[in-house]
Amino acid sequence: MKYKTLDDFNFKGKRVLLRSDLNSPVKKGKVIFNERIIESARTIKELQKKRARVVIIAHQGRKGDRDFTSLKQHSVLLGKFVKVKFVDDILGKKALDAIEELKNGETILLENIRYLDEEMKPEKDNKIVKVLAPHFDIYVNDAFSVSHRAQTSIVSFPSLLPSAIGRLMQHELESLEKIKIKDSLFVLGGKKIEEQLLFLNRKKIISGGTLGQLILISRGHNLGLQNKLLKNEMKYLLRLKKHKKILAPVDYAFLVNGKRKEFSLDEMPVNYEVMDIGRKTMEIYRGEIMKAKSILMKGPVGYCEDKKFRKGTAALLKAVASSRAFSVLGGGHLTTVMRDIGLSQKNFDYVSLSGGAFDEYLAGKKLPGLEVLKMQK
Ligand code: 3PG
């Protein structure tokens, strides 16, 4: 390991600033239980056993998004595994008093760090760093899945505090090093097109989510309302048009009068949002999955927070699990569906809890959060 781990420090009585990734799917304001909570709890538990005084910083969603919310519910979910007290403050007196009052083996979770604008702008001595750093002895980054973001809680502390990676981050890094992805079939879903673009030059791709829709639009299909919803992504059409071999959906599911209804591309309704791939697409994709020797699946192919629309993602996950291929899954949403449909990490060769970070790492990019840890104090 190029990085210091929890084995390299004596944590007894030390104040530890732990960056975890608790970012979770949120449905109607309810934070959904998922693997990130379980895995993040392991590092917390170990630090508690080592008698550290742990302060967790984490985020949920982004300003302006539907899932941008408090971390209060996350502390309850973490509470199934470890004792964690939620403090609804980050830099104020409430937070600082709670940090100072921590006893050995105790843990608090601060409020959503993205509530502070400074989180997104990691200037050297911004308010977050100035206020928090003096209260800590050690910084631990357990958020591999956010380490592709140059954000304050990820990049600013290692130059000021002795730093280590947590167990979840360590496990991700050790597993990613083993993956051979050259000839894999890529099953690409999810909302964030910038992340899917990293893999466009792969030999064999089947597409869902935003990528699938944009591919179709680039080939001249009118997806009705979806064309309007994707207006910010239209700038990628020219680039996508060149990728003629990428398989795209042939039918989609929509929410019509409260029910799931499927339509093929030539009979698409104009006033509804695309919610999932349809049955014909599932069959075609399943056939491709069964032929592959190695598969990398990332991101859901539909709106998987709603049971009606996780069918496509579930069908593909089941196909990947039952195929003989070497299989790798990436992205938090995918692992939530995996669990909901009764599959587990054991059904796949490796399950990453990271989305964008996983992509950038596999695409050979340098992750800012890892780079700073190499140069840590
Ligand atoms: C994720 O869910 O991929 C991470 O928590 C990073 O979230 P972000 O894409 O909003 O930075």
Side-chain angles (χ1 to χ4, degrees):
M1 252 301 117
K2 289 179 233 150
Y3 311 96
K4 288 197 170 147
T5 71
L6 299 192
D7 298 322
D8 294 304
F9 292 91
N10 176 1
F11 286 99
K12 192 168 175 199
K14 296 283 174 5
R15 282 211 186 84
V16 176
L17 183 63
L18 171 65
R19 179 44 160 118
S20 299
D21 186 9
L22 306 177
N23 196 29
S24 302
V26 177
K27 194 181 157 192
K28 291 187 186 144
K30 190 171 171 242
V31 176
I32 313 289
F33 181 66
N34 65 92
E35 308 289 320
R36 278 188 184 161
I37 305 275
I38 306 171
E39 298 299 326
S40 300
R42 288 188 212 279
T43 295
I44 302 167
K45 201 171 207 158
E46 184 171 338
L47 288 169
Q48 287 181 344
K49 273 202 183 138
K50 292 183 160 156
R51 312 297 294 152
R53 305 170 181 205
V54 183
V55 176
I56 309 166
I57 40 174
H59 74 278
Q60 173 61 54
R62 297 179 195 190
K63 215 174 201 170
D65 283 358
R66 268 188 284 195
D67 63 348
F68 187 55
T69 186
S70 163
L71 295 186
K72 186 159 193 227
Q73 294 181 57
H74 303 69
S75 70
V76 177
L77 296 175
L78 274 175
K80 293 180 187 217
F81 306 96
V82 280
K83 200 167 170 211
V84 173
K85 190 178 149 216
F86 175 66
V87 177
D88 65 342
D89 186 18
I90 307 169
L91 304 179
K93 183 168 168 10
K94 217 183 206 178
L96 298 183
D97 285 351
I99 295 170
E100 287 307 313
E101 283 159 18
L102 274 173
K103 301 202 173 62
N104 291 5
E106 287 184 348
T107 302
I108 57 173
L109 169 64
L110 298 181
E111 185 51 288
N112 187 346
I113 190 79
R114 288 190 182 170
Y115 280 4
L116 303 174
D117 290 338
E118 288 84 356
E119 167 64 358
M120 305 315 240
K121 304 178 221 117
E123 282 116 31
K124 240 207 156 146
D125 43 21
N126 76 24
K127 213 161 84 185
I128 300 177
V129 183
K130 261 199 210 148
V131 174
L132 288 183
H135 293 271
F136 292 93
D137 303 301
I138 300 169
Y139 168 79
V140 175
N141 183 352
D142 204 22
F144 173 76
S145 42
V146 201
S147 294
H148 59 317
R149 306 282 184 219
Q151 292 170 359
T152 301
S153 63
I154 297 289
V155 297
S156 298
F157 292 99
S159 60
L160 300 167
L161 297 170
S163 303
I165 57 172
R167 293 300 183 205
L168 173 54
M169 162 93 97
Q170 185 180 349
H171 175 63
E172 290 262 15
L173 288 171
E174 284 170 354
S175 308
L176 285 172
E177 273 164 22
K178 290 185 204 144
I179 295 173
K180 307 263 174 294
I181 52 160
K182 235 170 105 202
D183 295 316
S184 291
L185 166 69
F186 280 69
V187 184
L188 299 181
K191 274 202 304 199
K192 298 170 193 163
I193 184 67
E194 291 80 4
E195 293 169 1
Q196 289 133 19
L197 294 176
L198 292 168
F199 297 107
L200 287 188
N201 57 354
R202 298 292 163 184
K203 263 198 217 151
K204 186 94 200 163
I205 299 175
I206 55 185
S207 65
T210 305
L211 178 65
Q213 294 157 22
L214 287 175
I215 290 278
L216 288 170
I217 298 171
S218 80
R219 292 175 188 169
H221 292 275
N222 180 1
L223 303 189
L225 176 63
Q226 205 63 32
N227 282 48
K228 288 191 197 128
L229 294 174
L230 291 173
K231 64 176 187 305
N232 294 336
E233 283 79 13
M234 291 299 162
K235 55 181 181 265
Y236 300 115
L237 290 188
L238 258 184
R239 191 165 158 200
L240 292 172
K241 208 172 169 180
K242 291 186 212 136
H243 294 273
K244 299 198 171 27
K245 284 202 207 142
I246 297 180
L247 284 194
V250 297
D251 57 351
Y252 276 119
F254 300 83
L255 183 66
V256 182
N257 299 329
K259 292 212 172 94
R260 177 184 173 110
K261 277 206 124 190
E262 297 189 5
F263 297 91
S264 61
L265 290 182
D266 46 10
E267 51 187 25
M268 294 263 296
V270 284
N271 289 329
Y272 296 95
E273 192 177 338
V274 167
M275 302 299 276
D276 192 9
I277 57 170
R279 259 168 220 292
K280 282 187 214 130
T281 308
M282 290 178 218
E283 269 166 45
I284 298 170
Y285 283 7
R286 187 184 153 78
E288 294 299 326
I289 288 169
M290 290 331 237
K291 282 192 279 182
K293 288 208 175 77
S294 153
I295 302 166
L296 192 144
M297 178 170 179
K298 60 151 276 121
V301 291
Y303 181 66
C304 60
E305 283 87 346
D306 184 332
K307 222 171 172 177
K308 290 190 282 302
F309 300 111
R310 74 169 192 217
K311 279 194 175 147
T313 305
L316 301 191
L317 275 176
K318 283 183 191 160
V320 175
S322 66
S323 86
R324 292 218 203 118
F326 180 84
S327 57
V328 179
L329 301 189
H333 284 74
L334 215 48
T335 48
T336 308
V337 181
M338 171 191 86
R339 168 175 282 274
D340 286 349
I341 61 172
L343 294 172
S344 77
Q345 303 201 3
K346 291 195 195 99
N347 296 97
F348 305 91
D349 289 284
Y350 174 59
V351 177
S352 167
L353 301 186
S354 309
F358 169 84
D359 301 343
E360 293 194 15
Y361 187 91
L362 289 182
K365 290 197 162 191
K366 287 195 156 86
L367 308 194
L370 294 183
E371 293 307 300
V372 290
L373 284 168
K374 284 182 197 158
M375 305 178 291
Q376 61 115 14
K377 197 182 166 212

